[in-house]
Amino acid sequence: MAVDYNPLLPEHRRDPYPFYRALRAEDPVHFHELLQGWILTRHADVTAVLRDPRFSSDRSKIRIEALRLPPVRQELREIASAFERTMLFADPPEHTRLRNLVSKAFTPRVIEEYRGRIAEIVDEILERAESARRLDVIRDLAYPLPVTVIAEILGVPSEDREAFKRWSDDLAVLLDPFVSASVFERAQESALEMHRYLRAVFAERRRRPQRDLISRLVLAEEHGDLLSESELFAVCALVLGGGHETTTNLIGNGVLALLRHPEQRRRLRDDAALMETAVDEFLRYESPVQFTGRTATADCEIGGKRIAEGDFVVLGLGAANRDPVEFPDPERLDVGRRENRHLAFGAGTHACLGGRLARLEAGIAIATLLQRFPDLRPELDEPQWYPAIVSRGLTTLPVCF
Ligand code: HEM
């Protein structure tokens, strides 16, 4: 069937959901000519692939030109190759080894210990905004909160967050298809700077270990068989990058959804206990990660289409999260939605490691914002979306009160 799907259109950035709806209705397992890969938009199909060990996360298996990056500079070869083999892009048993090294830092008990610290950071931020009578939800709250928390978990100074942001922004676009030469060059510069920075932190922690995640990982690196120096860098870069931009977008997208749905905002204000289901609804309704991908390692069939070994499959997480077969009235924001089996954190072996932390931060940030400034109003008519396909988030969200 000839569905003309183009995620690069500005209309798609503004509102991708009509495009997803059309794909899901007309061709839910769609072969995209330009990508030379399949795009899946049904909840059941996306879930099945995420849970199917025949679909690999290993990016070296990808044969698609649009997704292949140019060769990296000599000095980056080793870290680029470690990054390509980081847990996000590894299959078991490699994946299990890498994930086990960091998963202890993200257990429910450990994350719960951050509740007080998160509330403290949010209060400090909103205190400062109070006298100004306005704030940019992204710049002043949604960005500094997660970056400060993840920096503290890792054990890097959160004062360096401007640099973390630049590096993570530059590297995150490498997940998009069709990366231009200048974007690629910038990403390489950022990777080099980040490498230099983190290596200095590793050296310091080797001399004086602390109670943070980097110290623990450095110890694992010293037992050379557990983690090499470049793997150490790759895992820290993944946690640092993965741990903040996505959460920034969850907070920003959640606040925007409430500004656009005053009746849902009133519901939340009148019943604060709804915040838990509300955060999952923000994740479903405006998912910070819209797509992920897998490569088939065996011939198989999805929705009547034959997927061949080596084919690339693009999983529409944002599309699956609006599938009417799974979610009654999916285009409606419902902060009290029950049975919300959204895929915003993926599913299966690679299900997000930081989901609990992201939920906790977003819940506290949004609840406190609504309590302190009940008459919050947007200052812009049109939301300013970040120019990316995989990530969905705002560049700015100025509000006054
Ligand atoms: C709203 C916030 C977040 C969203 C929407 C999100 C989304 C995702 C998704 C969709 C995946 C799975 C990718 C795949 O299967 O291909 C994933 C994996 C991952 N996430 Fe998150 N994430 C968020 C926050 C975090 C935080 C706070 C951290 C770290 C502290 C984190 C660390 C990771 C890691 C390490 C993985 C790789 C897990 C693996 O491969 O086993 N994420 N995330």
Side-chain angles (χ1 to χ4, degrees), residues 106-121:
F106 297 96
T107 59
R109 196 181 51 77
V110 175
I111 295 308
E112 195 47 41
E113 284 171 13
Y114 284 93
R115 184 179 288 277
R117 177 71 186 122
I118 294 169
E120 195 176 276
I121 301 169

Side-chain angles (χ1 to χ4, degrees), residues 50 87-88 95 99 106 150 238-239 242-243 246-247 250 283 288-289 292 294 317 344-346 349-354 357-358:
L50 285 170
M87 82 180 95
L88 189 58
H95 171 264
R99 186 163 165 130
F106 297 96
I150 202 67
L238 176 68
V239 170
T246 45
T247 312
L250 170 59
L283 282 158
V289 178
T292 188
R294 297 288 189 268
L317 304 175
F345 290 130
T349 337
H350 289 273
C352 179
L353 197 64
L357 176 63

Side-chain angles (χ1 to χ4, degrees), residues 29-31 36-40 305-307 311-314:
V29 182
H30 172 69
F31 189 76
Q36 287 294 299
W38 302 91
I39 303 184
L40 271 51
K305 301 274 177 79
R306 193 182 155 275
I307 314 291
D311 279 1
F312 189 66
V313 183
V314 177

